[in-house]
Amino acid sequence: MQKKVGKRHTRLETYEEKKELVSQFNLTSDIFFSKVMEDIKACEEVIRIFTGEKFIVKKVKTQYSIRNMKSHSVVLDVLAENENGCLVSIEIHPQENEDHVRRVRYNLSCIDTSFFEKGEEYKDVPETYMLHITEKDFIGKNKGINVVNRTICGETMTLENGVHEIYVILKGKTEDPGQKELLKYFLKSDSNYETEAFPNLVARVKLFKEQKEGIDIMCEIIERERMEARKEGEIKGNVAQIRKKFLKRNTPKQAADALELDLSYIENVMFMIEEGQTDEEIVMELIKKEI
C-alpha cells in the first residue's frame, strides 16, 4: 500500500522547501562545510590551493571533538592527515568577532596534547597545518592568504617548529588565480559552478544542493543539530537549578521533588558539584554519557 502524502504539502512542495532551505548554505557555514569536506578529494583540493603544497589526504574527519574535562573543549571543523602523519586542521569562523590568533593557539595545543603519545620524543610531535578561515580582515592587510612564520627579531632566519599557521581572509586579495577563485567560491558556493581548479569540491556542493539524496542528508543534519542544541540547553538548565538547590543545602530528595527530576540524576550532579566541577564540566560529562 502506498503512503499517502499529507494534505498540507505535496511531495513536490516538500522537496522544493527542503531544496530552498539547503540552497541558502555556502561554504562559510560550518555544518555545510564539514559535510562537503568529508570527501577526501574535495578536502585535498582546498588544502592544496590554500597552502600551495602537494598534500595527499589519507584520512579526513569532520566535527572532530577534543574533549577536555578540566579545560575548554574544542570541536575542529575538519581534521585531515597525510600518509606521513602530518595533520591539517581547517576551521571556518566567518563572522565571529573574537581573538582569532589565540583561538588558533589553543586549538593547536589541543591537537598536540591529543596526538603526542606519552613516551614519544619531541621530534615526533606531528607536523601540523592550521587553516583558519574568516571573512573579516582582522589582520588589516587585505591579503587573502596570510602565512605566519616564527623569526628572530632583526633576522630573516625562520625557526621551524612543525607548525604552519595560515589565516585565510575570504574577502582579501591574492594574485594566485586558484586561490582567488576559491576565495570567491567559498562566499557564493553556486551549485551550477564549473571549474577545473577544484572539480571535486564543486561536485560535493552540487550533491548537497541539487540531488535529493544530498538534500535529505543536509535536512536531517539540520534537524539533529536543533534537537541536540535543545537537549544541551535542557541539561544546562537542570544543572543550574540543581546547583541552586545544592547551595541552599537541599537534600537530593528535596531537590528531586522540587524539580521533578530523577533522584539518581540529582545525586550524580550534586556529587560532581561537591567535587568542585563547574557547570560546563558537569554538562559536558552528562552529554558524553548520553552519546
Side-chain angles (χ1 to χ4, degrees):
M1 182 183 292
Q2 286 189 339
K3 228 175 158 184
K4 289 185 178 180
V5 181
K7 291 181 179 179
R8 292 184 61 189
H9 297 282
T10 66
R11 284 192 179 89
L12 181 59
E13 286 172 334
T14 302
Y15 173 71
E16 290 298 327
E17 286 175 359
K18 288 182 177 180
K19 188 176 179 181
E20 174 62 26
L21 173 64
V22 177
S23 70
Q24 298 173 35
F25 285 103
N26 60 25
L27 289 171
T28 65
S29 161
D30 58 352
I31 298 174
F32 188 71
F33 176 70
S34 296
K35 199 63 190 174
V36 168
M37 295 292 279
E38 284 180 357
D39 181 79
I40 285 179
K41 290 300 180 183
C43 180
E44 196 172 84
E45 288 171 346
V46 172
I47 293 171
R48 285 185 169 196
I49 291 172
F50 282 154
T51 65
E53 303 283 348
K54 292 183 178 179
F55 199 94
I56 298 175
V57 175
K58 179 183 177 183
K59 192 169 186 178
V60 61
K61 292 283 187 180
T62 61
Q63 293 298 301
Y64 188 87
S65 177
I66 300 177
R67 294 191 178 277
N68 298 311
M69 294 307 299
K70 295 300 181 182
S71 59
H72 187 71
S73 297
V74 298
V75 178
L76 305 175
D77 291 328
V78 177
L79 186 63
E81 180 183 3
N82 75 358
E83 55 192 5
N84 298 319
C86 175
L87 301 172
V88 179
S89 175
I90 311 175
E91 290 294 294
I92 187 83
H93 299 282
Q95 299 292 341
E96 287 88 338
N97 185 19
E98 61 184 11
D99 193 328
H100 294 281
V101 177
R102 280 183 170 80
R103 181 172 190 147
V104 165
R105 170 186 166 184
Y106 183 75
N107 286 358
L108 282 166
S109 71
C110 289
I111 292 172
D112 283 345
T113 54
S114 295
F115 293 94
F116 183 47
E117 299 291 339
K118 184 177 180 180
E120 288 186 309
E121 298 182 13
Y122 286 111
K123 65 181 179 62
D124 296 320
V125 175
E127 187 173 1
T128 305
Y129 284 77
M130 175 63 75
L131 288 169
H132 190 86
I133 304 172
T134 182
E135 281 187 43
K136 295 182 179 180
D137 184 12
F138 67 96
I139 297 174
K141 295 295 184 180
N142 196 28
K143 289 179 62 178
I145 309 297
N146 301 268
V147 180
V148 176
N149 289 320
R150 299 174 75 247
T151 60
I152 299 172
C153 290
E155 302 290 338
T156 57
M157 182 179 70
T158 300
L159 291 179
E160 298 291 348
N161 65 352
V163 171
H164 306 268
E165 195 172 336
I166 302 171
Y167 296 92
V168 178
I169 311 298
L170 295 176
K171 293 184 177 179
K173 294 182 179 180
T174 175
E175 296 302 316
D176 183 278
Q179 292 176 349
K180 186 182 296 185
E181 185 180 1
L182 186 54
L183 291 175
K184 289 181 179 179
Y185 187 71
F186 258 75
L187 294 170
K188 298 290 184 181
S189 307
D190 185 356
S191 59
N192 295 317
Y193 194 80
E194 293 183 7
T195 180
E196 294 182 1
F198 39 88
N200 294 288
L201 182 67
V202 168
R204 286 288 285 182
V205 169
K206 190 176 184 67
L207 167 65
F208 292 114
K209 284 194 170 188
E210 295 290 338
Q211 298 179 28
K212 187 177 185 303
E213 174 195 353
I215 292 170
D216 285 343
I217 289 171
M218 282 306 305
C219 288
E220 287 173 10
I221 292 171
I222 293 167
E223 183 57 31
R224 186 168 66 246
E225 290 271 335
R226 288 172 178 168
M227 290 177 65
E228 288 176 356
R230 285 197 294 268
K231 186 64 178 176
E232 184 175 345
E234 180 185 325
I235 293 173
K236 284 180 178 178
N238 287 341
V239 170
Q241 291 296 321
I242 294 169
R243 184 177 289 277
K244 287 181 181 179
K245 297 297 183 184
F246 176 83
L247 294 174
K248 289 180 179 180
R249 299 185 182 278
N250 280 198
T251 65
K253 179 68 167 61
Q254 289 172 327
D257 291 340
L259 300 174
E260 297 182 345
L261 294 171
D262 184 75
L263 178 59
S264 61
Y265 181 82
I266 298 282
E267 289 173 338
N268 184 32
V269 174
M270 283 192 170
F271 174 77
M272 288 188 279
I273 291 172
E274 201 165 11
E275 288 290 299
Q277 293 190 44
T278 65
D279 283 9
E280 183 181 355
E281 290 168 350
I282 295 170
V283 169
M284 187 193 311
E285 194 164 324
L286 293 175
I287 291 173
K288 190 175 180 181
K289 286 180 179 178
E290 291 195 6
I291 295 175

